[in-house]
Amino acid sequence: MPDHGPLLEAAGLTKTFTVRRTVRGGTRLRALDGVDLTLGRGETLGLVGESGCGKSTLARVLLRLERPDAGTVRYEGVDPFTLSGAELLAWRRKVQMVFQDPFGSLNPRLCAADLIGEPWLTHRGLVPTSKRAARVAELLEMVGLRASDASRHPHEFSGGQRQRIGIARALALEPEVIVCDEPVSALDLSVQAQVLNLLCDLRDELGLSYVFISHDLSVVRHLADRVAVMYLGKIMETGPTEEVYERPRHPYTEALLSAAPSPVAGGGRKRQRILLTGEIPSPADPPSGCRFRTRCRQVRDLCAEEVPAPPPPGSAHGAACHFPLEEAPPVAV
């Protein structure tokens, strides 16, 4: 079982980008707006939501690829944005990433051995030059490839094999946390299952922690210990995976689950399909109060007047909703 003590924490993360002026006059897009989350050691946190909700921006902030406008990130109590030089280089080893595109993320001119060993050119003291070939062979076999594949180039591999090389490259620095940004969305279903099982095995064998980003609810349920649901830059609901899937508390989560195939959404029980209606807001001009209110079937006056309190970032199950589903009065349909 994972240790749910905080390994990685984010509090109040806000990130805004300047965009072209919209029809309504907005020029500032707030991709993240007060995001809180925690990741325990050995835990997998699933991050789900529609395209454009801020999942990838959050990943980039956690990896220190983007600097937040406000809020803090702490890794074992240390803010990585305060680090520099050797301290920053040491921190970089601990947090790695697996990308969505298993072809575009690999340099086509390099063979598998060079791709996997490339991080060692920066972190020179980790693996001696004389032992790098053996370590590459070990990593290839760890991700289900052959040591003889070391001399092959990306175009000689299938999509699933390329993603395995990407995973091996992430493991080369012996990280503690891997951020997976839609790592199986570009793969066939049968290959998705193989890569997901590989990630599970590596987590158990190496004690890894994952932030797993996906729009596919079945994928997240298979892998994640906890789930965070995002909408327009905010966390709408968090909690243990089975609790969120079986008893969603936010109307947005309920709608997402109702759109999934019934064996995924309800353990074999058929869910009533909930069609989201109303206006889809622009991230550059979000609604007042609750951001989901323009599409919510149980909206009240309060939803436009006050921003709901965010859900707890830890293991407790909660939702950023004035009228959570368990407490909501009946709504005429």
Side-chain angles (χ1 to χ4, degrees):
M1 293 295 291
D3 176 5
H4 290 282
L7 173 64
L8 179 65
E9 300 175 88
L13 289 182
T14 299
K15 180 62 181 179
T16 305
F17 297 98
T18 301
V19 297
R20 290 185 178 180
R21 185 172 296 276
T22 65
V23 174
R24 297 184 180 181
T27 59
R28 303 288 289 172
L29 188 153
R30 182 162 288 190
L32 301 177
D33 191 359
V35 171
D36 300 334
L37 61 81
T38 63
L39 178 69
R41 190 175 296 276
E43 182 183 42
T44 298
L45 174 66
L47 196 60
V48 301
E50 295 171 294
S51 296
C53 70
K55 303 188 299 294
S56 293
T57 299
L58 177 57
R60 292 178 64 83
V61 171
L62 295 178
L63 287 159
R64 203 184 179 276
L65 300 177
E66 297 278 0
R67 181 175 291 272
D69 302 328
T72 59
V73 175
R74 295 197 176 276
Y75 187 92
E76 295 183 318
V78 176
D79 184 350
F81 289 94
T82 65
L83 302 178
S84 61
E87 290 182 329
L88 176 58
L89 190 65
W91 179 82
R92 291 283 189 199
R93 274 190 55 196
K94 298 179 180 180
V95 185
Q96 291 293 299
M97 187 169 188
V98 175
F99 297 91
Q100 177 177 5
D101 184 354
F103 190 77
S105 60
L106 302 179
N107 187 336
R109 298 184 178 183
L110 299 182
C111 65
D114 292 338
L115 288 166
I116 294 171
E118 192 173 17
W120 300 330
L121 300 179
T122 301
H123 301 265
R124 295 182 181 277
L126 184 60
V127 179
T129 303
S130 60
K131 297 182 179 181
R132 288 181 182 178
R135 180 57 176 159
V136 165
E138 181 182 358
L139 288 168
L140 284 169
E141 292 175 354
M142 188 181 295
V143 299
L145 297 175
R146 299 168 300 180
S148 58
D149 291 328
S151 60
R152 298 168 63 192
H153 288 73
H155 71 273
E156 299 178 84
F157 294 97
S158 67
Q161 290 173 327
R162 287 195 288 263
Q163 195 60 291
R164 290 172 186 267
I165 293 173
I167 294 170
R169 180 176 59 184
L171 295 174
L173 294 180
E174 302 175 7
E176 296 176 331
V177 175
I178 297 181
V179 178
C180 303
D181 190 0
E182 299 274 10
V184 297
S185 63
L187 306 178
D188 294 337
L189 287 177
S190 60
V191 180
Q192 284 187 16
Q194 296 170 17
V195 173
L196 289 174
N197 289 334
L198 171 64
L199 290 171
C200 289
D201 292 342
L202 292 172
R203 176 189 59 189
D204 297 339
E205 179 182 349
L206 303 176
L208 297 169
S209 301
Y210 294 136
V211 177
F212 191 91
I213 298 170
S214 180
H215 65 276
D216 189 326
L217 296 168
S218 62
V219 166
V220 171
R221 188 173 197 177
H222 178 76
L223 193 68
D225 300 299
R226 286 191 302 117
V227 175
V229 182
M230 286 193 72
Y231 183 78
L232 284 184
K234 285 184 174 291
I235 300 292
M236 296 285 105
E237 182 168 359
T238 61
T241 301
E242 289 305 313
E243 287 190 26
V244 172
Y245 275 64
E246 293 295 334
R247 294 177 295 278
R249 302 200 64 198
H250 198 284
Y252 177 58
T253 308
E254 181 187 42
L256 288 179
L257 291 170
S258 77
S262 57
V264 173
R269 294 183 291 106
K270 184 175 178 62
R271 286 184 186 268
Q272 180 182 359
R273 179 67 187 272
I274 299 172
L275 297 177
L276 295 179
T277 60
E279 180 183 2
I280 300 177
S282 166
D285 187 26
S288 62
C290 176
R291 293 195 170 185
F292 184 63
R293 67 177 177 81
T294 59
R295 304 171 72 189
C296 184
R297 64 175 182 164
Q298 60 181 46
V299 63
R300 307 288 192 275
D301 291 342
L302 179 63
C303 301
E305 298 167 359
E306 295 183 13
V307 178
S315 60
H317 185 190
C321 183
H322 293 302
F323 306 101
L325 293 177
E326 291 181 356
E327 304 170 9
V331 179
V333 180

